[in-house]
Amino acid sequence: CLGLEYKVSWKRRVQRAAMKIPKMERERLVVLFDDLREKGPIRKEWPNFSELGENHYHCHLSYKWVACWVCGKGQIEIEVYYVGSRESAPY
Protein backbone atom coordinates (compact mmCIF):
# COMPACT_ATOMS: atom_id res chain seq x y z
CA CYS A 1 0.00 0.00 0.00
CA LEU A 2 2.77 2.42 -0.88
CA GLY A 3 1.53 5.97 -0.65
CA LEU A 4 -1.94 4.82 0.38
CA GLU A 5 -3.43 6.58 3.35
CA TYR A 6 -6.27 5.01 5.30
CA LYS A 7 -9.19 7.09 6.48
CA VAL A 8 -9.68 6.76 10.25
CA SER A 9 -13.06 7.66 11.71
CA TRP A 10 -14.81 7.30 15.05
CA LYS A 11 -18.27 7.96 16.38
CA ARG A 12 -19.02 10.85 18.71
CA ARG A 13 -19.41 8.48 21.68
CA VAL A 14 -15.85 7.23 21.08
CA GLN A 15 -14.60 10.82 21.06
CA ARG A 16 -16.41 11.49 24.36
CA ALA A 17 -15.02 8.28 25.87
CA ALA A 18 -11.49 9.22 24.78
CA MET A 19 -11.77 12.49 26.72
CA LYS A 20 -12.39 10.48 29.90
CA ILE A 21 -9.25 8.36 29.74
CA PRO A 22 -5.97 9.58 31.29
CA LYS A 23 -3.89 12.12 29.35
CA MET A 24 -1.02 9.70 28.65
CA GLU A 25 -3.41 7.20 27.07
CA ARG A 26 -5.08 9.96 25.02
CA GLU A 27 -1.66 10.88 23.66
CA ARG A 28 -1.01 7.22 22.79
CA LEU A 29 -4.43 7.10 21.10
CA VAL A 30 -3.39 9.98 18.82
CA VAL A 31 -0.24 8.03 17.90
CA LEU A 32 -2.38 4.93 17.24
CA PHE A 33 -4.68 6.95 14.95
CA ASP A 34 -1.63 8.20 13.04
CA ASP A 35 -0.29 4.63 12.76
CA LEU A 36 -3.66 3.34 11.53
CA ARG A 37 -3.89 6.16 8.98
CA GLU A 38 -0.35 5.63 7.68
CA LYS A 39 0.11 1.85 8.02
CA GLY A 40 -3.36 0.28 8.06
CA PRO A 41 -5.33 -1.86 10.50
CA ILE A 42 -2.75 -4.58 11.29
CA ARG A 43 -0.62 -3.02 14.06
CA LYS A 44 1.38 -5.90 15.55
CA GLU A 45 3.90 -3.50 17.11
CA TRP A 46 1.23 -2.27 19.56
CA PRO A 47 0.92 -4.00 22.96
CA ASN A 48 -1.50 -6.93 23.03
CA PHE A 49 -2.57 -6.37 19.43
CA SER A 50 -4.93 -9.09 18.27
CA GLU A 51 -7.63 -9.83 15.77
CA LEU A 52 -10.97 -10.08 17.57
CA GLY A 53 -12.87 -11.60 14.70
CA GLU A 54 -13.25 -11.02 11.02
CA ASN A 55 -11.74 -7.58 10.31
CA HIS A 56 -12.01 -6.49 13.99
CA TYR A 57 -8.85 -5.62 15.94
CA HIS A 58 -7.74 -4.24 19.28
CA CYS A 59 -4.65 -3.19 21.19
CA HIS A 60 -3.78 -1.83 24.60
CA LEU A 61 -2.96 1.83 25.11
CA SER A 62 -1.72 0.79 28.57
CA TYR A 63 -2.48 -2.07 30.97
CA LYS A 64 -6.00 -0.80 31.72
CA TRP A 65 -7.00 1.05 28.54
CA VAL A 66 -7.74 -0.35 25.06
CA ALA A 67 -8.88 0.68 21.60
CA CYS A 68 -10.89 -1.46 19.15
CA TRP A 69 -11.37 -0.88 15.43
CA VAL A 70 -12.77 -2.49 12.30
CA CYS A 71 -11.60 -2.38 8.69
CA GLY A 72 -13.35 -4.33 5.95
CA LYS A 73 -11.17 -6.52 3.77
CA GLY A 74 -9.86 -4.46 0.86
CA GLN A 75 -11.22 -1.24 2.37
CA ILE A 76 -9.24 1.89 3.23
CA GLU A 77 -11.63 3.12 5.91
CA ILE A 78 -10.92 2.17 9.52
CA GLU A 79 -13.54 2.85 12.18
CA VAL A 80 -12.46 3.02 15.81
CA TYR A 81 -15.57 1.80 17.63
CA TYR A 82 -14.35 1.58 21.23
CA VAL A 83 -11.89 3.39 23.48
CA GLY A 84 -11.97 2.71 27.19
CA SER A 85 -11.19 0.30 29.98
CA ARG A 86 -10.35 -3.25 29.05
CA GLU A 87 -12.88 -4.46 31.63
CA SER A 88 -15.72 -2.89 29.59
CA ALA A 89 -14.32 -3.68 26.15
CA PRO A 90 -16.78 -5.28 23.69
CA TYR A 91 -14.94 -8.57 23.24
Side-chain angles (χ1 to χ4, degrees), residues 34-67:
D34 289 343
D35 277 357
L36 291 172
R37 188 175 299 109
E38 294 169 12
K39 303 172 189 170
I42 311 292
R43 301 287 26 103
K44 293 182 180 180
E45 71 275 13
W46 279 81
N48 297 84
F49 169 83
S50 66
E51 187 169 351
L52 298 174
E54 192 172 336
N55 305 318
H56 287 75
Y57 309 93
H58 101 294
C59 73
H60 285 216
L61 302 171
S62 65
Y63 177 76
K64 183 176 177 180
W65 305 99
V66 301

Side-chain angles (χ1 to χ4, degrees), residues 17-31:
M19 296 311 295
K20 295 177 183 176
I21 67 175
K23 183 180 181 207
M24 186 176 85
E25 283 74 9
R26 279 197 314 269
E27 291 170 355
R28 289 182 55 82
L29 183 61
V30 170
V31 174

Side-chain angles (χ1 to χ4, degrees), residues 3 7-10 13 15-16 22 24 26 28 30-31 33 35 47 59 62 65-66 73 76 81 85 88:
K7 180 181 181 213
V8 179
S9 63
W10 56 91
R13 66 182 162 83
Q15 185 177 6
R16 284 193 305 266
M24 186 176 85
R26 279 197 314 269
R28 289 182 55 82
V30 170
V31 174
F33 283 174
D35 277 357
C59 73
S62 65
W65 305 99
V66 301
K73 196 163 191 83
I76 62 165
Y81 62 88
S85 73
S88 300

